[in-house]
Amino acid sequence: MSMLGDRRGPLEEHLGERASAYLDGELDASERAAADAHLAGCPACRAAMAGERAVRDAVRALGPVDPPPGFLDGVLARGPQASAHARVRRRRRVPFGLAQLAATAAVWIVILGFGINRNADGVAPDTDGYVTAHAAAAANVMTGGGASTGTNSTEATGTTTTPTTIAPTGAAPLPSRLGDFVLVERRVAPGAVQAVYSRGDEVVSVFVQAGMLNPRALGRGAERVNIGGLPGYWLRWRGNDVLVFQRGAAVYTVVTPSMGDVDRVPPDLPATRAPSPSLGDRFRAAADGLTDCFGLAG
Amino acid sequence: MSTPPTADGHVPTWEEVARTHGRFLYTLAYRLTGDHDDAQDLVQEVLLRVRRGLTTYQAGSLEGWLSRITTNAFLDEMRRRKRRPLHVVPDLPEPARGVATDPESEIARQRLPDEVQAALAALPPDYRAAVVLSDVVGYGYAEIAEALGIPIGTVRSRIHRGRAILREKLT
């Protein structure tokens, strides 16, 4: 009783490829009657049918998938882009420096809510200016201008703005702490708001600009990276890791001194630096937080 | 599930498509590619094709029209990549071994969406396209045949073989 290739009467012929059509109601009446007659007497075909049905139902049960927040807004703002260059670069792994940034992912939960003006041409972060601004802020922190860990100071000496300046319209106030990181300074950088957080001797600046990111303006050194499903761009600039990404209608640029690539990092990191959830999980959590807190889903 | 098409003959613009069917498009693109980066690229490619008027809009459901464009853009891309080293095929998770029962309840009970998606992503693209059009979009075989430009017998065979591979991977 081979299942393959033999031609017999309809009652004896196994269903083979007709099983799918039977299951999907794609057989005509006479084919279906023949298949029913065969199935009644063929446990093997009934079992095969059950297996195929289970598979089909498992695929049908897959739910809708939400695009990454901001993705469709970005496409609408920029127009759809052919992605040849992104495709080449896409598989790049996120370097370890970004893992440190991800440890501060909660930063981004906070900073949405600035007044937003759309810029149809797309905006580009002033990478060089940001790195300079970050270096100045970090130096200020290190020379005692910033808060020491454990204090709750939100206004450091050297602060150039007041909170009302950085939160023009309906902004959530910047929290004084983000996990282990303490807000030590807020500034207005050229064209953007800068929030400076520190943890021990680690300093991270987050710059927020209204508008839609124009990735081309980042230059050839920027590599597209994928962090837990969120697209972003990473580049090295004067010894810093710079991560740029779109959230809602604002462009975020995170600057922190480069920590080196994964390969160069010893496997045993200090416990305080070892992120327990995966990088992707942290970014997802941050993204969800952004959306939940401010209702600014893409 | 399907949106009444443009009864007045209005051909939707790519912006309208992105606004009203972005989630549908993304779901389809993700089921086909199994990868968020690739899904975003595919969605943009579909919107480009809509914008450039490269596809003839036909009366019928808007989602059907988009499904055709998306599936064909996906297959075009897969053919284009064929010359290159294979992109990463997701590893299938180790199947959870329980007491063997009938395959139907076993698959239904134990398979998580991620596992199903990973198995789907491991199918040959031609089979995957047929299975996705059938079981994600809900197309009949005649519509699939038309969308992919293949005979209906080939549709039948691709769906059957595709499901057979899925079953093997998921059981």
Side-chain angles (χ1 to χ4, degrees), chain A residues 38-285:
Chain A
H38 176 79
L39 279 168
C42 182
C45 279
R46 284 202 299 275
M49 187 75 73
E52 181 160 340
R53 184 194 303 276
V55 163
R56 182 195 67 174
D57 292 349
V59 176
R60 287 187 175 182
L62 292 172
V65 185
D66 284 322
F71 166 65
L72 290 171
D73 277 348
V75 173
L76 280 164
R78 285 193 307 274
Q81 311 282 316
S83 56
H85 90 282
R87 196 168 281 134
V88 172
R89 295 165 174 271
R90 162 173 58 216
R91 299 291 172 191
R92 169 134 196 135
R93 288 261 169 207
V94 173
F96 179 75
L98 292 188
Q100 294 298 301
L101 298 186
T104 66
V107 166
W108 303 315
I109 293 175
V110 171
I111 306 177
L112 276 187
F114 292 111
I116 299 299
N117 298 306
R118 279 181 187 267
N119 180 336
D121 296 330
V123 300
D126 172 17
T127 308
D128 198 57
Y130 289 178
V131 166
T132 301
H134 174 69
N140 187 40
V141 171
M142 291 306 152
T143 54
S148 60
T149 303
T151 72
N152 216 17
S153 166
T154 59
E155 289 296 325
T157 56
T159 297
T160 57
T161 67
T162 63
T164 51
T165 322
I166 60 166
T169 49
L174 293 171
S176 56
R177 302 180 73 94
L178 295 167
D180 299 339
F181 280 77
V182 179
L183 176 69
V184 292
E185 193 167 357
R186 335 183 212 197
R187 299 180 168 206
V188 172
V193 173
Q194 176 183 11
V196 185
Y197 290 85
S198 97
R199 179 178 67 176
D201 58 359
E202 295 174 75
V203 182
V204 172
S205 287
V206 182
F207 298 85
V208 189
Q209 283 171 283
M212 305 308 288
L213 177 65
N214 175 6
R216 289 179 182 174
L218 293 172
R220 297 180 65 88
E223 305 208 356
R224 184 170 162 187
V225 291
N226 181 0
I227 308 158
L230 282 179
Y233 294 84
W234 166 77
L235 61 151
R236 281 263 167 81
W237 195 259
R238 292 199 280 129
N240 289 269
D241 277 317
V242 179
L243 176 67
V244 185
F245 58 97
Q246 182 82 45
R247 294 290 300 147
V251 177
Y252 293 78
T253 304
V254 183
V255 179
T256 193
S258 291
M259 300 276 188
D261 283 323
V262 169
D263 292 343
R264 282 184 260 130
V265 172
D268 297 318
L269 295 170
T272 53
R273 292 190 177 186
S276 39
S278 75
L279 193 57
D281 287 343
R282 280 173 177 262
F283 263 74
R284 260 190 292 277

